[in-house]
Structure formats: structure tokens, C-alpha cells
PDB file of all heavy atoms in Angstrom:
ATOM      1  N   ARG A   1    -103.610 -30.976  60.675  1.00  0.00           N
ATOM      2  CA  ARG A   1    -103.026 -32.262  61.067  1.00  0.00           C
ATOM      3  C   ARG A   1    -102.916 -33.195  59.871  1.00  0.00           C
ATOM      4  O   ARG A   1    -101.903 -33.885  59.692  1.00  0.00           O
ATOM      5  CB  ARG A   1    -103.888 -32.889  62.163  1.00  0.00           C
ATOM      6  CG  ARG A   1    -103.386 -34.228  62.694  1.00  0.00           C
ATOM      7  CD  ARG A   1    -104.296 -34.694  63.820  1.00  0.00           C
ATOM      8  NE  ARG A   1    -103.877 -35.972  64.372  1.00  0.00           N
ATOM      9  CZ  ARG A   1    -104.267 -37.146  63.897  1.00  0.00           C
ATOM     10  NH1 ARG A   1    -105.082 -37.202  62.860  1.00  0.00           N
ATOM     11  NH2 ARG A   1    -103.857 -38.273  64.463  1.00  0.00           N
ATOM     12  N   GLU A   2    -103.938 -33.206  59.015  1.00  0.00           N
ATOM     13  CA  GLU A   2    -103.935 -34.085  57.846  1.00  0.00           C
ATOM     14  C   GLU A   2    -102.814 -33.707  56.885  1.00  0.00           C
ATOM     15  O   GLU A   2    -102.099 -34.575  56.369  1.00  0.00           O
ATOM     16  CB  GLU A   2    -105.291 -33.990  57.132  1.00  0.00           C
ATOM     17  CG  GLU A   2    -105.438 -34.886  55.921  1.00  0.00           C
ATOM     18  CD  GLU A   2    -105.513 -36.360  56.265  1.00  0.00           C
ATOM     19  OE1 GLU A   2    -105.739 -36.695  57.437  1.00  0.00           O
ATOM     20  OE2 GLU A   2    -105.351 -37.186  55.342  1.00  0.00           O
ATOM     21  N   ALA A   3    -102.647 -32.402  56.636  1.00  0.00           N
ATOM     22  CA  ALA A   3    -101.572 -31.953  55.743  1.00  0.00           C
ATOM     23  C   ALA A   3    -100.210 -32.273  56.330  1.00  0.00           C
ATOM     24  O   ALA A   3     -99.283 -32.663  55.610  1.00  0.00           O
ATOM     25  CB  ALA A   3    -101.705 -30.455  55.479  1.00  0.00           C
ATOM     26  N   ALA A   4    -100.065 -32.119  57.637  1.00  0.00           N
ATOM     27  CA  ALA A   4     -98.789 -32.410  58.287  1.00  0.00           C
ATOM     28  C   ALA A   4     -98.441 -33.892  58.190  1.00  0.00           C
ATOM     29  O   ALA A   4     -97.276 -34.260  57.991  1.00  0.00           O
ATOM     30  CB  ALA A   4     -98.830 -31.970  59.750  1.00  0.00           C
ATOM     31  N   LEU A   5     -99.446 -34.755  58.333  1.00  0.00           N
ATOM     32  CA  LEU A   5     -99.204 -36.193  58.233  1.00  0.00           C
ATOM     33  C   LEU A   5     -98.724 -36.595  56.840  1.00  0.00           C
ATOM     34  O   LEU A   5     -98.047 -37.610  56.678  1.00  0.00           O
ATOM     35  CB  LEU A   5    -100.479 -36.970  58.576  1.00  0.00           C
ATOM     36  CG  LEU A   5    -100.850 -37.054  60.055  1.00  0.00           C
ATOM     37  CD1 LEU A   5    -102.261 -37.597  60.222  1.00  0.00           C
ATOM     38  CD2 LEU A   5     -99.861 -37.918  60.815  1.00  0.00           C
ATOM     39  N   ARG A   6     -99.076 -35.800  55.829  1.00  0.00           N
ATOM     40  CA  ARG A   6     -98.676 -36.098  54.452  1.00  0.00           C
ATOM     41  C   ARG A   6     -97.432 -35.315  54.025  1.00  0.00           C
ATOM     42  O   ARG A   6     -97.097 -35.283  52.838  1.00  0.00           O
ATOM     43  CB  ARG A   6     -99.833 -35.806  53.497  1.00  0.00           C
ATOM     44  CG  ARG A   6    -101.017 -36.755  53.681  1.00  0.00           C
ATOM     45  CD  ARG A   6    -102.047 -36.616  52.592  1.00  0.00           C
ATOM     46  NE  ARG A   6    -103.131 -37.565  52.738  1.00  0.00           N
ATOM     47  CZ  ARG A   6    -103.094 -38.827  52.305  1.00  0.00           C
ATOM     48  NH1 ARG A   6    -102.024 -39.277  51.694  1.00  0.00           N
ATOM     49  NH2 ARG A   6    -104.130 -39.636  52.478  1.00  0.00           N
ATOM     50  N   THR A   7     -96.763 -34.685  54.962  1.00  0.00           N
ATOM     51  CA  THR A   7     -95.564 -33.915  54.655  1.00  0.00           C
ATOM     52  C   THR A   7     -94.326 -34.768  54.847  1.00  0.00           C
ATOM     53  O   THR A   7     -94.058 -35.251  55.948  1.00  0.00           O
ATOM     54  CB  THR A   7     -95.482 -32.665  55.558  1.00  0.00           C
ATOM     55  OG1 THR A   7     -96.601 -31.807  55.277  1.00  0.00           O
ATOM     56  CG2 THR A   7     -94.186 -31.895  55.303  1.00  0.00           C
ATOM     57  N   PHE A   8     -93.577 -34.966  53.762  1.00  0.00           N
ATOM     58  CA  PHE A   8     -92.340 -35.743  53.806  1.00  0.00           C
ATOM     59  C   PHE A   8     -91.276 -34.967  53.039  1.00  0.00           C
ATOM     60  O   PHE A   8     -91.242 -35.004  51.808  1.00  0.00           O
ATOM     61  CB  PHE A   8     -92.530 -37.138  53.189  1.00  0.00           C
ATOM     62  CG  PHE A   8     -93.711 -37.899  53.732  1.00  0.00           C
ATOM     63  CD1 PHE A   8     -94.860 -38.053  52.984  1.00  0.00           C
ATOM     64  CD2 PHE A   8     -93.663 -38.453  54.996  1.00  0.00           C
ATOM     65  CE1 PHE A   8     -95.955 -38.742  53.475  1.00  0.00           C
ATOM     66  CE2 PHE A   8     -94.751 -39.151  55.506  1.00  0.00           C
ATOM     67  CZ  PHE A   8     -95.897 -39.300  54.747  1.00  0.00           C
ATOM     68  N   VAL A   9     -90.454 -34.231  53.743  1.00  0.00           N
ATOM     69  CA  VAL A   9     -89.423 -33.409  53.104  1.00  0.00           C
ATOM     70  C   VAL A   9     -88.187 -34.265  52.862  1.00  0.00           C
ATOM     71  O   VAL A   9     -87.645 -34.880  53.785  1.00  0.00           O
ATOM     72  CB  VAL A   9     -89.070 -32.191  53.974  1.00  0.00           C
ATOM     73  CG1 VAL A   9     -87.982 -31.353  53.305  1.00  0.00           C
ATOM     74  CG2 VAL A   9     -90.316 -31.338  54.216  1.00  0.00           C
ATOM     75  N   THR A  10     -87.731 -34.309  51.611  1.00  0.00           N
ATOM     76  CA  THR A  10     -86.536 -35.074  51.261  1.00  0.00           C
ATOM     77  C   THR A  10     -85.383 -34.178  50.846  1.00  0.00           C
ATOM     78  O   THR A  10     -84.250 -34.641  50.738  1.00  0.00           O
ATOM     79  CB  THR A  10     -86.839 -36.058  50.113  1.00  0.00           C
ATOM     80  OG1 THR A  10     -87.299 -35.323  48.971  1.00  0.00           O
ATOM     81  CG2 THR A  10     -87.920 -37.045  50.532  1.00  0.00           C
ATOM     82  N   SER A  11     -85.656 -32.899  50.594  1.00  0.00           N
ATOM     83  CA  SER A  11     -84.602 -31.967  50.190  1.00  0.00           C
ATOM     84  C   SER A  11     -83.648 -31.710  51.352  1.00  0.00           C
ATOM     85  O   SER A  11     -84.039 -31.782  52.526  1.00  0.00           O
ATOM     86  CB  SER A  11     -85.224 -30.642  49.731  1.00  0.00           C
ATOM     87  OG  SER A  11     -84.236 -29.647  49.570  1.00  0.00           O
ATOM     88  N   ASP A  12     -82.400 -31.397  51.031  1.00  0.00           N
ATOM     89  CA  ASP A  12     -81.439 -31.041  52.071  1.00  0.00           C
ATOM     90  C   ASP A  12     -81.174 -29.538  52.106  1.00  0.00           C
ATOM     91  O   ASP A  12     -80.245 -29.088  52.761  1.00  0.00           O
ATOM     92  CB  ASP A  12     -80.117 -31.798  51.867  1.00  0.00           C
ATOM     93  CG  ASP A  12     -79.484 -31.501  50.510  1.00  0.00           C
ATOM     94  OD1 ASP A  12     -80.101 -30.768  49.715  1.00  0.00           O
ATOM     95  OD2 ASP A  12     -78.373 -32.007  50.245  1.00  0.00           O
ATOM     96  N   PHE A  13     -82.000 -28.763  51.373  1.00  0.00           N
ATOM     97  CA  PHE A  13     -81.796 -27.319  51.313  1.00  0.00           C
ATOM     98  C   PHE A  13     -82.928 -26.571  52.003  1.00  0.00           C
ATOM     99  O   PHE A  13     -82.782 -26.074  53.103  1.00  0.00           O
ATOM    100  CB  PHE A  13     -81.657 -26.868  49.855  1.00  0.00           C
ATOM    101  CG  PHE A  13     -81.513 -25.374  49.681  1.00  0.00           C
ATOM    102  CD1 PHE A  13     -80.493 -24.683  50.332  1.00  0.00           C
ATOM    103  CD2 PHE A  13     -82.390 -24.674  48.870  1.00  0.00           C
ATOM    104  CE1 PHE A  13     -80.354 -23.307  50.180  1.00  0.00           C
ATOM    105  CE2 PHE A  13     -82.257 -23.299  48.710  1.00  0.00           C
ATOM    106  CZ  PHE A  13     -81.233 -22.630  49.368  1.00  0.00           C
ATOM    107  N   SER A  14     -84.077 -26.484  51.366  1.00  0.00           N
ATOM    108  CA  SER A  14     -85.209 -25.763  51.938  1.00  0.00           C
ATOM    109  C   SER A  14     -86.491 -26.552  51.697  1.00  0.00           C
ATOM    110  O   SER A  14     -86.617 -27.253  50.694  1.00  0.00           O
ATOM    111  CB  SER A  14     -85.332 -24.371  51.322  1.00  0.00           C
ATOM    112  OG  SER A  14     -86.494 -23.705  51.788  1.00  0.00           O
ATOM    113  N   TYR A  15     -87.412 -26.431  52.626  1.00  0.00           N
ATOM    114  CA  TYR A  15     -88.661 -27.186  52.560  1.00  0.00           C
ATOM    115  C   TYR A  15     -89.746 -26.488  51.749  1.00  0.00           C
ATOM    116  O   TYR A  15     -90.702 -27.121  51.321  1.00  0.00           O
ATOM    117  CB  TYR A  15     -89.203 -27.397  53.981  1.00  0.00           C
ATOM    118  CG  TYR A  15     -89.490 -26.087  54.680  1.00  0.00           C
ATOM    119  CD1 TYR A  15     -90.728 -25.467  54.571  1.00  0.00           C
ATOM    120  CD2 TYR A  15     -88.503 -25.444  55.416  1.00  0.00           C
ATOM    121  CE1 TYR A  15     -90.977 -24.253  55.183  1.00  0.00           C
ATOM    122  CE2 TYR A  15     -88.744 -24.238  56.032  1.00  0.00           C
ATOM    123  CZ  TYR A  15     -89.974 -23.641  55.913  1.00  0.00           C
ATOM    124  OH  TYR A  15     -90.211 -22.424  56.504  1.00  0.00           O
ATOM    125  N   THR A  16     -89.626 -25.166  51.534  1.00  0.00           N
ATOM    126  CA  THR A  16     -90.753 -24.379  51.039  1.00  0.00           C
ATOM    127  C   THR A  16     -91.256 -24.850  49.685  1.00  0.00           C
ATOM    128  O   THR A  16     -92.450 -25.089  49.494  1.00  0.00           O
ATOM    129  CB  THR A  16     -90.367 -22.897  50.953  1.00  0.00           C
ATOM    130  OG1 THR A  16     -89.156 -22.755  50.182  1.00  0.00           O
ATOM    131  CG2 THR A  16     -90.135 -22.306  52.340  1.00  0.00           C
ATOM    132  N   VAL A  17     -90.348 -24.994  48.726  1.00  0.00           N
ATOM    133  CA  VAL A  17     -90.745 -25.361  47.365  1.00  0.00           C
ATOM    134  C   VAL A  17     -91.209 -26.807  47.300  1.00  0.00           C
ATOM    135  O   VAL A  17     -92.261 -27.115  46.735  1.00  0.00           O
ATOM    136  CB  VAL A  17     -89.577 -25.114  46.394  1.00  0.00           C
ATOM    137  CG1 VAL A  17     -89.875 -25.727  45.028  1.00  0.00           C
ATOM    138  CG2 VAL A  17     -89.314 -23.617  46.251  1.00  0.00           C
ATOM    139  N   GLU A  18     -90.434 -27.714  47.873  1.00  0.00           N
ATOM    140  CA  GLU A  18     -90.795 -29.135  47.836  1.00  0.00           C
ATOM    141  C   GLU A  18     -92.138 -29.370  48.516  1.00  0.00           C
ATOM    142  O   GLU A  18     -92.995 -30.094  48.000  1.00  0.00           O
ATOM    143  CB  GLU A  18     -89.712 -29.972  48.505  1.00  0.00           C
ATOM    144  CG  GLU A  18     -90.026 -31.462  48.469  1.00  0.00           C
ATOM    145  CD  GLU A  18     -88.974 -32.308  49.153  1.00  0.00           C
ATOM    146  OE1 GLU A  18     -88.051 -31.745  49.756  1.00  0.00           O
ATOM    147  OE2 GLU A  18     -89.092 -33.550  49.090  1.00  0.00           O
ATOM    148  N   ASN A  19     -92.330 -28.758  49.675  1.00  0.00           N
ATOM    149  CA  ASN A  19     -93.569 -28.909  50.418  1.00  0.00           C
ATOM    150  C   ASN A  19     -94.772 -28.428  49.603  1.00  0.00           C
ATOM    151  O   ASN A  19     -95.838 -29.058  49.603  1.00  0.00           O
ATOM    152  CB  ASN A  19     -93.457 -28.127  51.724  1.00  0.00           C
ATOM    153  CG  ASN A  19     -94.622 -28.355  52.668  1.00  0.00           C
ATOM    154  OD1 ASN A  19     -95.029 -27.440  53.384  1.00  0.00           O
ATOM    155  ND2 ASN A  19     -95.175 -29.548  52.696  1.00  0.00           N
ATOM    156  N   LEU A  20     -94.601 -27.322  48.871  1.00  0.00           N
ATOM    157  CA  LEU A  20     -95.701 -26.774  48.076  1.00  0.00           C
ATOM    158  C   LEU A  20     -96.012 -27.657  46.871  1.00  0.00           C
ATOM    159  O   LEU A  20     -97.183 -27.894  46.555  1.00  0.00           O
ATOM    160  CB  LEU A  20     -95.349 -25.357  47.622  1.00  0.00           C
ATOM    161  CG  LEU A  20     -96.449 -24.596  46.876  1.00  0.00           C
ATOM    162  CD1 LEU A  20     -97.707 -24.501  47.719  1.00  0.00           C
ATOM    163  CD2 LEU A  20     -95.961 -23.202  46.496  1.00  0.00           C
ATOM    164  N   ILE A  21     -94.971 -28.151  46.185  1.00  0.00           N
ATOM    165  CA  ILE A  21     -95.205 -29.035  45.037  1.00  0.00           C
ATOM    166  C   ILE A  21     -95.888 -30.324  45.499  1.00  0.00           C
ATOM    167  O   ILE A  21     -96.819 -30.818  44.858  1.00  0.00           O
ATOM    168  CB  ILE A  21     -93.886 -29.333  44.301  1.00  0.00           C
ATOM    169  CG1 ILE A  21     -93.325 -28.052  43.683  1.00  0.00           C
ATOM    170  CG2 ILE A  21     -94.105 -30.390  43.213  1.00  0.00           C
ATOM    171  CD1 ILE A  21     -91.970 -28.219  43.020  1.00  0.00           C
ATOM    172  N   GLN A  22     -95.432 -30.871  46.623  1.00  0.00           N
ATOM    173  CA  GLN A  22     -96.080 -32.058  47.183  1.00  0.00           C
ATOM    174  C   GLN A  22     -97.555 -31.796  47.444  1.00  0.00           C
ATOM    175  O   GLN A  22     -98.413 -32.598  47.076  1.00  0.00           O
ATOM    176  CB  GLN A  22     -95.399 -32.463  48.491  1.00  0.00           C
ATOM    177  CG  GLN A  22     -94.065 -33.147  48.345  1.00  0.00           C
ATOM    178  CD  GLN A  22     -93.471 -33.508  49.692  1.00  0.00           C
ATOM    179  OE1 GLN A  22     -93.951 -33.082  50.739  1.00  0.00           O
ATOM    180  NE2 GLN A  22     -92.410 -34.284  49.678  1.00  0.00           N
ATOM    181  N   ALA A  23     -97.843 -30.684  48.095  1.00  0.00           N
ATOM    182  CA  ALA A  23     -99.231 -30.368  48.441  1.00  0.00           C
ATOM    183  C   ALA A  23    -100.081 -30.201  47.189  1.00  0.00           C
ATOM    184  O   ALA A  23    -101.230 -30.666  47.136  1.00  0.00           O
ATOM    185  CB  ALA A  23     -99.271 -29.089  49.279  1.00  0.00           C
ATOM    186  N   GLY A  24     -99.522 -29.555  46.168  1.00  0.00           N
ATOM    187  CA  GLY A  24    -100.264 -29.372  44.926  1.00  0.00           C
ATOM    188  C   GLY A  24    -100.547 -30.688  44.230  1.00  0.00           C
ATOM    189  O   GLY A  24    -101.669 -30.923  43.749  1.00  0.00           O
ATOM    190  N   LYS A  25     -99.561 -31.571  44.181  1.00  0.00           N
ATOM    191  CA  LYS A  25     -99.740 -32.857  43.506  1.00  0.00           C
ATOM    192  C   LYS A  25    -100.662 -33.783  44.288  1.00  0.00           C
ATOM    193  O   LYS A  25    -101.273 -34.680  43.704  1.00  0.00           O
ATOM    194  CB  LYS A  25     -98.382 -33.530  43.290  1.00  0.00           C
ATOM    195  CG  LYS A  25     -97.445 -32.757  42.371  1.00  0.00           C
ATOM    196  CD  LYS A  25     -98.077 -32.435  41.039  1.00  0.00           C
ATOM    197  CE  LYS A  25     -97.170 -31.631  40.143  1.00  0.00           C
ATOM    198  NZ  LYS A  25     -97.832 -31.247  38.867  1.00  0.00           N
ATOM    199  N   ARG A  26    -100.761 -33.583  45.606  1.00  0.00           N
ATOM    200  CA  ARG A  26    -101.664 -34.409  46.421  1.00  0.00           C
ATOM    201  C   ARG A  26    -103.052 -33.795  46.543  1.00  0.00           C
ATOM    202  O   ARG A  26    -103.879 -34.259  47.319  1.00  0.00           O
ATOM    203  CB  ARG A  26    -101.052 -34.610  47.803  1.00  0.00           C
ATOM    204  CG  ARG A  26     -99.834 -35.532  47.772  1.00  0.00           C
ATOM    205  CD  ARG A  26     -99.092 -35.503  49.064  1.00  0.00           C
ATOM    206  NE  ARG A  26     -97.913 -36.370  49.014  1.00  0.00           N
ATOM    207  CZ  ARG A  26     -96.844 -36.227  49.769  1.00  0.00           C
ATOM    208  NH1 ARG A  26     -96.781 -35.239  50.639  1.00  0.00           N
ATOM    209  NH2 ARG A  26     -95.819 -37.041  49.652  1.00  0.00           N
ATOM    210  N   ARG A  27    -103.290 -32.728  45.807  1.00  0.00           N
ATOM    211  CA  ARG A  27    -104.597 -32.072  45.750  1.00  0.00           C
ATOM    212  C   ARG A  27    -105.061 -31.547  47.109  1.00  0.00           C
ATOM    213  O   ARG A  27    -106.260 -31.540  47.410  1.00  0.00           O
ATOM    214  CB  ARG A  27    -105.653 -33.018  45.174  1.00  0.00           C
ATOM    215  CG  ARG A  27    -105.352 -33.531  43.778  1.00  0.00           C
ATOM    216  CD  ARG A  27    -105.392 -32.425  42.744  1.00  0.00           C
ATOM    217  NE  ARG A  27    -105.285 -32.937  41.398  1.00  0.00           N
ATOM    218  CZ  ARG A  27    -104.151 -33.103  40.718  1.00  0.00           C
ATOM    219  NH1 ARG A  27    -102.998 -32.782  41.315  1.00  0.00           N
ATOM    220  NH2 ARG A  27    -104.142 -33.571  39.491  1.00  0.00           N
ATOM    221  N   LEU A  28    -104.113 -31.100  47.934  1.00  0.00           N
ATOM    222  CA  LEU A  28    -104.502 -30.451  49.177  1.00  0.00           C
ATOM    223  C   LEU A  28    -105.022 -29.047  48.867  1.00  0.00           C
ATOM    224  O   LEU A  28    -104.593 -28.410  47.903  1.00  0.00           O
ATOM    225  CB  LEU A  28    -103.308 -30.358  50.134  1.00  0.00           C
ATOM    226  CG  LEU A  28    -102.703 -31.690  50.606  1.00  0.00           C
ATOM    227  CD1 LEU A  28    -101.541 -31.431  51.552  1.00  0.00           C
ATOM    228  CD2 LEU A  28    -103.748 -32.568  51.283  1.00  0.00           C
ATOM    229  N   THR A  29    -105.941 -28.573  49.690  1.00  0.00           N
ATOM    230  CA  THR A  29    -106.498 -27.238  49.491  1.00  0.00           C
ATOM    231  C   THR A  29    -105.569 -26.201  50.117  1.00  0.00           C
ATOM    232  O   THR A  29    -105.320 -26.232  51.320  1.00  0.00           O
ATOM    233  CB  THR A  29    -107.903 -27.125  50.119  1.00  0.00           C
ATOM    234  OG1 THR A  29    -108.736 -28.151  49.565  1.00  0.00           O
ATOM    235  CG2 THR A  29    -108.512 -25.772  49.833  1.00  0.00           C
ATOM    236  N   ILE A  30    -105.063 -25.302  49.279  1.00  0.00           N
ATOM    237  CA  ILE A  30    -104.078 -24.319  49.724  1.00  0.00           C
ATOM    238  C   ILE A  30    -104.650 -22.914  49.571  1.00  0.00           C
ATOM    239  O   ILE A  30    -105.203 -22.574  48.520  1.00  0.00           O
ATOM    240  CB  ILE A  30    -102.777 -24.438  48.909  1.00  0.00           C
ATOM    241  CG1 ILE A  30    -102.234 -25.867  48.970  1.00  0.00           C
ATOM    242  CG2 ILE A  30    -101.727 -23.449  49.410  1.00  0.00           C
ATOM    243  CD1 ILE A  30    -101.108 -26.129  48.001  1.00  0.00           C
ATOM    244  N   GLN A  31    -104.546 -22.125  50.621  1.00  0.00           N
ATOM    245  CA  GLN A  31    -104.957 -20.728  50.569  1.00  0.00           C
ATOM    246  C   GLN A  31    -103.787 -19.845  50.989  1.00  0.00           C
ATOM    247  O   GLN A  31    -102.816 -20.306  51.596  1.00  0.00           O
ATOM    248  CB  GLN A  31    -106.167 -20.474  51.466  1.00  0.00           C
ATOM    249  CG  GLN A  31    -107.455 -21.092  50.966  1.00  0.00           C
ATOM    250  CD  GLN A  31    -108.681 -20.564  51.701  1.00  0.00           C
ATOM    251  OE1 GLN A  31    -108.628 -19.542  52.389  1.00  0.00           O
ATOM    252  NE2 GLN A  31    -109.799 -21.265  51.560  1.00  0.00           N
ATOM    253  N   THR A  32    -103.878 -18.573  50.636  1.00  0.00           N
ATOM    254  CA  THR A  32    -102.857 -17.604  51.045  1.00  0.00           C
ATOM    255  C   THR A  32    -103.514 -16.465  51.806  1.00  0.00           C
ATOM    256  O   THR A  32    -104.689 -16.146  51.585  1.00  0.00           O
ATOM    257  CB  THR A  32    -102.108 -17.033  49.832  1.00  0.00           C
ATOM    258  OG1 THR A  32    -103.042 -16.377  48.960  1.00  0.00           O
ATOM    259  CG2 THR A  32    -101.393 -18.127  49.065  1.00  0.00           C
ATOM    260  N   VAL A  33    -102.741 -15.869  52.701  1.00  0.00           N
ATOM    261  CA  VAL A  33    -103.208 -14.732  53.497  1.00  0.00           C
ATOM    262  C   VAL A  33    -102.153 -13.630  53.401  1.00  0.00           C
ATOM    263  O   VAL A  33    -100.980 -13.875  53.725  1.00  0.00           O
ATOM    264  CB  VAL A  33    -103.413 -15.133  54.970  1.00  0.00           C
ATOM    265  CG1 VAL A  33    -103.734 -13.909  55.824  1.00  0.00           C
ATOM    266  CG2 VAL A  33    -104.521 -16.162  55.102  1.00  0.00           C
TER     267      VAL A  33
END
């Protein structure tokens, strides 16, 4: 919920890259499975 509240997509193409750069710059904890 916290990560979603901080998600603001401004791109008109795809969310994947922008969302990841945002999360990295905001120091969110990211894991992969």
C-alpha cells in the first residue's frame, strides 16, 4: 500500500521503467522472484 501511494506514472508509453526508477530514487525496498 505504501509503495502504491508513492506511485505516480507520468509516461504515456509504459509504466515499468519509470515506476522502477521512481522506486529506486525513493529508496523503496525492491525484491525479485
Side-chain angles (χ1 to χ4, degrees):
R1 181 177 180 272
E2 182 70 15
L5 284 169
R6 293 190 177 276
T7 297
F8 309 106
V9 179
T10 59
S11 169
D12 59 356
F13 177 56
S14 175
Y15 60 89
T16 53
V17 169
E18 181 181 6
N19 187 214
L20 185 57
I21 295 176
Q22 284 180 349
K25 296 306 178 184
R26 289 169 181 156
R27 301 293 188 269
L28 297 180
T29 304
I30 305 169
Q31 290 193 15
T32 60
V33 173

